[in-house]
Amino acid sequence: MSWTFGTSSAPAQSTANPFVQSFTTNSADTLLVVGIPNNIARTGGSPTFNGTALTQVPAGSVATAETSLEIWYMINPPTTTANVSIPNSGASQCAPVIATARSTSTPVYTNTSNATATSTNPTVDSTVTTPNNIIFALAGDDENTWSPSGVTGTDISSGDVANWGRGLQYRIEATSGTYAMGWTDSSSSRWAVVTAAFTEAVSVTVSPAVIDIVSSVQDPTVQAGAIVSPAVITVLAGVQAPTVTTVLPPWTNPSKNSSSWGNTAKNSATWTNASKNSSTWTNEDKS
Amino acid sequence: MASLAYNAFKYSQLGDTGITPINLKTDTIKLALLTSSYTYANTHDFFDDVSANEVGASGSYATGGATLSVTTSQDNTDNEGVFDATDVSFTTATITARYAVIYKSTGVNSTSRLICLIDFGSNQSSTAGTFTITFAAEGILNLT
């Protein structure tokens, strides 16, 4: 992943309202940057490309007594030839510099920085915390014939505009860090610099392995002989057989003389003499 | 450091006086990302033990992380209980994370019990992009 610079255009300054500049984008362009330096603060609203409003870096405008700077951008501009239109209701001297850059994934604006001073060598640091950066810096200088001799990055367009000067440069930096965005100018004058840093979107997918929680059952310690197996105690419920006693009525003599005894019966063959003459029979009974 | 389940989680699942086991299915289970500055200790039990090492909010990643859409199941093929969740993505996020921590969120860090720590093995970074965590086919946690 890395950035490459695209194309640029640096039209002459104009006080027209709107300021209009035709610009052609390439299908590989993923970022359109418009640096707008004016001699005084520009008024009138957001610039557009192909009718779509650009986005301003949060720094807003950075100004000196004789310059006012703005940086606007568009992510994934359409591939076309269309106008960059910059409202300029205050009829300021508008001298934009238009540029494109190309990235392998979606550009992301990251940060801006700015500085103003009266000195030689206009400069400001841009600190980026991500890899794969492209940093643009726009300068304005009050010097009547501004002609810087060098830049810390790659110059896009730097030079004099009417009685003040403008400059746009870029740096492509693969790693995070702090990078000076400066112009070499031996003449001390009032200047302002504003930067806009962009990186490329990076996605990541993490696929962690499953975590195993192993549950184990610990075997208990068993002491031999400790197990007591008591005998079964059986309780029997028995039914006791009762003693049955039969009481017969006694013999009485009258029964022997009962009319139910007949002679025939007495002399029956079933009676033996012995039995008839048994001593157990009394004479009285036999007769 | 290998990914692991916190001791506090193992213990809590057994239950004890004053400790309610985590219901992984019905409780609010969240995933947060930690930087490489986190140092594991087996005494860590609640989210306040790790929150100082959480990555900053970025894109769709908010402090405390994201709530997981959890499933639990019984795997009779591998003879295990499975805790799984839908993959997690944080969009438009600039994040550098070394770990993910999964925990039961009560809304209070000091009572949000830690469940497990996932070690990515190295710092994983997204820049204004999507940070995705794709859980394994076997899930996040297996109780075997």
Side-chain angles (χ1 to χ4, degrees), chain A residues 211, chain B residues 1-7 10 40 115-119 141:
Chain A
I211 300 172
Chain B
M1 178 192 306
S3 299
L4 51 84
Y6 284 95
N7 288 346
K10 300 173 191 172
Y40 167 77
I115 296 173
C116 63
L117 178 71
I118 297 171
D119 185 356
L141 274 176

Side-chain angles (χ1 to χ4, degrees), chain A residues 26-255:
Chain A
N26 184 284
S27 61
D29 293 337
T30 58
L31 176 65
L32 173 68
V33 172
V34 180
I36 307 176
N38 292 65
N39 64 325
I40 57 174
R42 184 185 63 86
T43 57
S46 300
T48 61
F49 174 64
N50 195 35
T52 301
L54 305 181
T55 301
Q56 187 175 18
V57 300
S61 62
V62 179
T64 69
E66 296 184 21
T67 61
S68 179
L69 310 177
E70 307 164 51
I71 297 179
W72 296 74
Y73 66 93
M74 177 182 286
I75 302 295
N76 295 326
T79 301
T80 186
T81 296
N83 287 333
V84 172
S85 180
I86 304 171
N88 188 22
S89 58
S92 63
Q93 295 174 355
C94 184
V97 180
I98 306 164
T100 62
R102 298 160 185 176
S103 57
T104 52
S105 64
T106 303
V108 179
Y109 164 78
T110 57
N111 63 57
T112 183
S113 58
N114 65 79
T116 63
T118 299
S119 69
T120 60
N121 304 324
T123 188
V124 67
D125 286 342
S126 175
T127 299
V128 290
T129 59
T130 59
N132 303 318
N133 306 283
I134 187 167
I135 307 167
F136 289 90
L138 177 66
D141 195 291
D142 290 356
E143 190 174 341
N144 284 340
T145 55
W146 195 51
S147 181
S149 59
V151 295
T152 56
T154 299
D155 189 43
I156 299 173
S157 179
S158 296
D160 192 56
V161 177
N163 60 347
W164 53 281
R166 70 174 179 191
L168 184 69
Q169 65 167 304
Y170 72 93
R171 293 181 70 150
I172 294 174
E173 300 294 343
T175 61
S176 61
T178 297
Y179 300 99
M181 304 298 290
W183 281 257
T184 302
D185 177 16
S186 59
S187 299
S188 179
S189 57
R190 291 173 295 187
W191 55 264
V193 178
V194 60
T195 70
F198 300 84
T199 187
E200 294 182 279
V202 177
S203 295
V204 64
T205 298
V206 184
S207 301
V210 67
I211 300 172
D212 287 324
I213 300 178
V214 178
S215 60
S216 61
V217 177
Q218 302 296 323
D219 290 335
T221 299
V222 179
Q223 183 176 355
I227 300 175
V228 178
S229 299
V232 176
I233 300 172
T234 303
V235 178
L236 297 175
V239 177
Q240 299 299 320
T243 298
V244 178
T245 301
T246 302
V247 179
L248 297 175
W251 283 91
T252 59
N253 289 332
S255 62

